[in-house]
Amino acid sequence: MKNTQRSLGQKLLFRTGIAAILFILLILISLFYLVLEIDEHEERLVELNEIDEDLTALYIAVIDQETGQRGFNLTGNDAFLEPFYNGIEAFKSKQSDLQKQVIEYPNFNNYVQNTIEKGVAWTNQFGLPQVQSSKSYEYLDEQALEKGKIAFDSFRESYRVSHNLVEKESNEIQREFINKIIGFFIGSSLLTILTIGVLWSDIFKKFNSITRPIVELSECVKDYSNNIFTKEPPKYFKNDEIADLISNVNSMRMQLEVNRMYMDNLANKDGLTGLYNRRYFNLKLEEEWERQLNLSNNLNLIFFNIDYFKRYNDLYGHVLGDECLIQISNTVLNLFDHPTDLPARYGGEEFVIITSEQDIAKVISKAEELRRAVEDLKIDHSGSKISDFVTISIGVSSVIPNNNMEPKYIIDQADKALYNSKVNGKNKVSSIQL
């Protein structure tokens, strides 16, 4: 630190005596409290991260069991039993640790326990018995298989709920920590102002240069707590504790802004594919509809889904099904990379794209390019009736919005065009222009 800071400290010590010492002690205690809060916050986040990792490992273990069991039932190949039994061992390994970890979290303890129970139930009631039946060359009746699928889907849903609750708990801890930090800075500011009131008038003048940035900083923190990050921390040109405080708050502001952008992105994106989700698509469709309504321009939409995707999942399993969705989504992102293009996952294997291109002929050409690009991925699909590889069917609609229409109209037209592609043999592009 510069000598000016030490000189200021000496003058304060000389003029205030015991009051200055108490003030220093107060700062030290506050900083100690802040360090303790940070340590506690990091420790709780580490615990929740470990729980989430173990919960995910538990989920993957059951997925491995289901994949191995399905493969063995379909082929009789003993190689599929290795991931099945490895999945059972991995499940047991994480089960005990997870049950101990979640005891201290009543907000989601019961949900995690329920996920574990459903995983155990699927293994004992369907996984092992169906593997044993296949080993004995016994016939697996459709009713038993359907019950197993329902039990497995119930486990997947239970895991999703548990995972979301763990994330929610982590977010609550983050908010609680931020509120404590805000309270700390506001409390420190108020205590500083009270201390100034008992000092001599000349010291008050010197403190005025300190309290001004602190008050401004408090206002910034209040804005930051309301997710308003436009206001920057006050300018301060001295090299002292206030400068450090401003620097820390500014770092907190930037981190909070990054966290908010990250959370907004999570809320708007599909977790599997990275495309925008249906909720965000609906919002943007209404905005684009109003914009083109005012401009009297046409609005173009590409609607497509994967041909025979249910069969693909049945044949190859949900893990490869998810990988198929990801590859196709990446293809969409590569083709529709204009800032105003908006590709979204509409639901399941259905996708929709709002394109900025105005020329319908070019839109249809771009849709055909997408169809070929997906086919060129050469993703094996032995269950398809039209190709050895995964294909898509596409519907294109083009509408000039008017006040007698709703945004849903263009979706309905694109869906009709998609239907035409499907009834005419799939792996095609059809269009409707009004």
Side-chain angles (χ1 to χ4, degrees):
M1 294 183 180
K2 294 182 178 180
N3 291 333
T4 52
Q5 181 181 346
R6 186 170 63 249
S7 175
L8 176 62
Q10 290 174 347
K11 290 180 180 180
L12 291 174
L13 181 63
F14 175 77
R15 293 175 182 274
T16 62
I18 298 300
I21 294 174
L22 292 176
F23 182 73
I24 293 172
L25 288 175
L26 179 62
I27 291 179
L28 292 175
I29 292 172
S30 298
L31 291 175
F32 178 72
Y33 166 79
L34 182 61
V35 170
L36 290 179
E37 287 295 331
I38 293 173
D39 289 341
E40 180 184 356
H41 171 69
E42 292 180 349
E43 181 178 337
R44 294 178 70 186
L45 286 183
V46 168
E47 288 179 357
L48 287 171
N49 187 55
E50 290 176 353
I51 290 174
D52 194 42
E53 290 178 352
D54 287 348
L55 186 62
T56 300
L58 198 77
Y59 171 74
I60 293 174
V62 178
I63 292 292
D64 289 343
Q65 293 179 54
E66 194 271 347
T67 303
Q69 178 240 34
R70 181 187 292 271
F72 180 72
N73 289 345
L74 291 173
T75 65
N77 188 342
D78 289 344
F80 285 101
L81 292 178
E82 181 177 352
F84 176 76
Y85 288 117
N86 287 344
I88 292 177
E89 292 302 318
F91 187 96
K92 291 178 180 179
S93 173
K94 293 300 180 182
Q95 176 182 353
S96 177
D97 294 339
L98 198 56
Q99 287 175 325
K100 293 176 182 178
Q101 291 171 325
V102 300
I103 291 177
E104 298 181 3
Y105 294 91
N107 289 344
F108 57 78
N109 179 23
N110 292 337
Y111 292 93
V112 174
Q113 297 288 359
N114 184 51
T115 301
I116 294 172
E117 291 171 3
K118 287 186 176 181
V120 172
W122 181 88
T123 300
N124 294 336
Q125 296 176 20
F126 300 100
L128 287 170
Q130 291 183 9
V131 166
Q132 191 59 42
S133 295
S134 295
K135 284 184 175 180
S136 304
Y137 302 102
E138 295 178 3
Y139 175 75
L140 297 176
D141 63 276
E142 293 295 330
Q143 186 176 5
L145 291 174
E146 182 62 24
K147 288 183 178 179
K149 181 180 182 301
I150 292 173
F152 185 75
D153 289 342
S154 177
F155 165 76
R156 287 166 65 98
E157 177 62 19
S158 179
Y159 160 77
R160 186 188 66 80
V161 172
S162 299
H163 172 72
N164 289 342
L165 287 173
V166 173
E167 284 193 343
K168 181 179 179 182
E169 182 77 12
S170 179
N171 292 335
E172 288 294 334
I173 289 175
Q174 291 279 29
R175 283 192 287 270
E176 179 183 339
F177 174 72
I178 292 172
N179 289 335
K180 286 184 178 180
I181 296 301
I182 292 172
F184 168 78
F185 285 125
I186 294 176
S188 298
S189 300
L190 293 175
L191 288 174
T192 301
I193 294 173
L194 290 175
T195 303
I196 292 173
V198 299
L199 297 177
W200 298 338
S201 58
D202 60 332
I203 297 178
F204 177 81
K205 293 178 181 179
K206 293 180 180 179
F207 262 80
N208 185 52
S209 64
I210 298 175
T211 58
R212 179 185 53 78
I214 289 180
V215 172
E216 293 179 11
L217 192 63
S218 176
E219 294 175 353
C220 290
V221 171
K222 290 178 182 178
D223 282 349
Y224 303 159
S225 67
N226 293 317
N227 289 327
I228 301 172
F229 303 104
T230 54
K231 182 184 294 185
E232 293 187 0
K235 302 295 182 181
Y236 193 78
F237 301 102
K238 295 181 181 179
N239 185 18
D240 55 22
E241 293 86 353
I242 304 300
D244 293 337
L245 183 62
I246 292 174
S247 176
N248 291 336
V249 172
N250 192 40
S251 298
M252 182 184 73
R253 175 182 71 92
M254 292 186 291
Q255 185 60 48
L256 286 173
E257 188 169 14
V258 169
N259 289 345
R260 189 197 65 176
M261 293 173 62
Y262 175 73
M263 295 304 296
D264 287 345
N265 189 53
L266 285 180
N268 294 332
K269 292 293 184 70
D270 176 60
L272 176 67
T273 64
L275 300 178
Y276 289 106
N277 56 31
R278 183 169 178 172
R279 183 191 68 84
Y280 187 75
F281 162 77
N282 289 334
L283 291 175
K284 288 300 180 180
L285 178 62
E286 291 188 3
E287 292 179 8
E288 190 65 15
W289 182 273
E290 290 298 324
R291 191 170 75 88
Q292 301 301 348
L293 177 64
N294 295 329
L295 296 173
S296 297
N297 288 337
N298 60 310
L299 178 62
N300 300 312
L301 202 65
I302 298 174
F303 200 30
F304 74 91
N305 67 9
I306 304 172
D307 299 324
Y308 300 106
F309 189 67
K310 183 180 185 301
R311 292 187 180 184
Y312 186 92
N313 271 335
D314 291 341
L315 284 172
Y316 299 97
H318 290 282
V319 173
L320 288 181
D322 288 349
E323 181 62 29
C324 175
L325 292 172
I326 291 171
Q327 289 188 59
I328 291 176
S329 298
N330 289 338
T331 301
V332 172
L333 289 172
N334 288 334
L335 285 176
F336 295 89
D337 58 353
H338 193 278
T340 57
D341 290 337
L342 193 144
R345 185 181 181 188
Y346 198 71
E349 71 274 21
E350 292 186 319
F351 299 83
V352 63
I353 305 164
I354 302 175
T355 176
S356 59
E357 178 60 60
Q358 288 290 314
D359 188 340
I360 182 62
K362 291 183 179 180
V363 176
I364 294 173
S365 175
K366 199 70 175 287
E368 177 62 28
E369 184 180 355
L370 172 62
R371 186 197 65 77
R372 291 196 303 270
V374 171
E375 196 170 25
D376 289 343
L377 291 174
K378 296 191 180 302
I379 304 172
D380 291 333
H381 190 354
S382 60
S384 174
K385 295 182 179 181
I386 60 173
S387 173
D388 293 332
F389 306 108
V390 169
T391 60
I392 60 174
S393 296
I394 303 178
V396 178
S397 63
S398 180
V399 174
I400 299 178
N402 61 57
N403 292 323
N404 296 322
M405 296 179 182
E406 295 291 335
K408 184 178 182 297
Y409 181 76
I410 192 173
I411 299 177
D412 293 338
Q413 296 306 307
D415 190 44
K416 289 179 181 178
L418 173 60
Y419 176 78
N420 292 337
S421 293
K422 286 189 165 295
V423 298
N424 289 317
K426 300 184 172 61
N427 193 21
K428 297 181 183 300
V429 176
S430 301
S431 64
I432 295 178
Q433 182 177 8
L434 296 176

